[in-house]
Amino acid sequence: EVVLTQSPATLSLSPGQRATLSCRASQSVRIYLAWYQQKLGQAPRLLIYDTSNRATGIPARFSGSGSETDFTLTISSLEPEDFATYYCQQRSDWPLTFGGGTRVEI
Amino acid sequence: EVQLVESGGGLVKPGGSLRLSCAASGFSFSSYNMNWVRQAPGKGLEWVSSISRSSTHTNYADSVKGRFTISRDNAKNSLYLQMNSLRAEDTAVYYCARVSAAAGNQYGSGSYDVWGQGTTVTVSS
């Protein structure tokens, strides 16, 4: 099973600051890594798929990079609505797995 | 509007059964792979099961294999999850999720571009 380790667990930032979230895989997932945003009481929302492709309607301040085992989600300038929990997910291998999440808080 | 609406959750005793349903609308349901993902209270996301467009391929997490069965009825635009021999650790919000056409394969795997609002399953005596 591919284990995804997200760091940090919590990121404390202010609006306007840059956020850098990490996701490390226990083995190569090639480019097949996605990022989701989840707010309290809501379903997750797809932000990035296959490492760097923004999903429909996702603002350009969200970007993804990386390959094989090391991936990064960057939010260039935090908006108030970006404070949430972020999960990475791999689709390279069964079982599909998610990281434990990074909470971005003010 | 593209939408997924889950139903069928509730309180069930350990060892009991439940059948979750997910009604799809606003898109060509038969053209998409579908999955179930769950989230235990206060925890992260866990993939549960996948099914391909024509039901040819199904996959399960080890934690539910042999107890849960995924199925779909393309004529009814519906996805199902039959859950038997339920355990306390199955307590979670269950989401149905559509696999993105741009980020999926023919076996049902992928990343999820549309999610339902979730249905809560509580397993407790």
Side-chain angles (χ1 to χ4, degrees), chain A residues 5-12 20-23 86 100-104:
Chain A
T5 302
Q6 291 189 242
S7 61
T10 305
L11 199 51
S12 299
T20 304
L21 287 67
S22 173
C23 177
Y86 294 81
T102 291
R103 183 182 172 201
V104 178

Side-chain angles (χ1 to χ4, degrees), chain A residues 27-89:
Chain A
Q27 64 194 67
S28 174
V29 298
R30 297 172 282 174
I31 63 163
Y32 301 125
L33 195 287
W35 292 92
Y36 300 85
Q37 176 193 70
Q38 187 179 34
K39 298 180 182 178
L40 202 60
Q42 296 184 16
R45 176 174 71 142
L46 179 65
L47 299 174
I48 301 286
Y49 66 91
D50 292 354
T51 298
S52 59
N53 298 283
R54 268 190 305 275
T56 302
I58 301 303
R61 65 181 182 273
F62 292 92
S63 63
S65 63
S67 66
E68 306 292 345
T69 61
D70 286 288
F71 299 87
T72 300
L73 174 70
T74 301
I75 311 171
S76 58
S77 178
L78 282 164
E79 297 287 341
E81 62 267 27
D82 299 336
F83 291 91
T85 299
Y86 294 81
Y87 294 95
C88 57
Q89 177 239 345

Side-chain angles (χ1 to χ4, degrees), chain B residues 54-103:
Chain B
S54 57
S55 304
T56 305
H57 301 286
T58 59
N59 277 279
Y60 299 91
D62 283 347
S63 58
V64 307
K65 200 173 292 185
R67 300 187 299 122
F68 290 12
T69 302
I70 191 171
S71 63
R72 64 190 295 165
D73 185 335
N74 287 342
K76 294 183 178 179
N77 293 331
S78 293
L79 176 72
Y80 306 101
L81 186 67
Q82 177 67 44
M83 304 187 297
N84 299 330
S85 303
L86 282 161
R87 306 167 180 166
E89 53 266 34
D90 296 318
T91 294
V93 174
Y94 284 74
Y95 295 101
C96 68
R98 187 181 84 171
V99 174
S100 166

Side-chain angles (χ1 to χ4, degrees), chain A residues 36 38 43-44 46 89 94 96, chain B residues 39 59 103 109-112 115-116:
Chain A
Y36 300 85
Q38 187 179 34
L46 179 65
Q89 177 239 345
W94 301 105
L96 307 183
Chain B
Q39 187 168 33
N59 277 279
S109 165
S111 298
Y112 314 116
W115 296 68

Side-chain angles (χ1 to χ4, degrees), chain B residues 34-51:
Chain B
M34 297 294 296
N35 283 215
W36 288 97
V37 175
R38 69 184 180 183
Q39 187 168 33
K43 302 296 184 183
L45 300 167
E46 180 188 15
W47 168 75
V48 173
S49 184
S50 299
I51 188 166

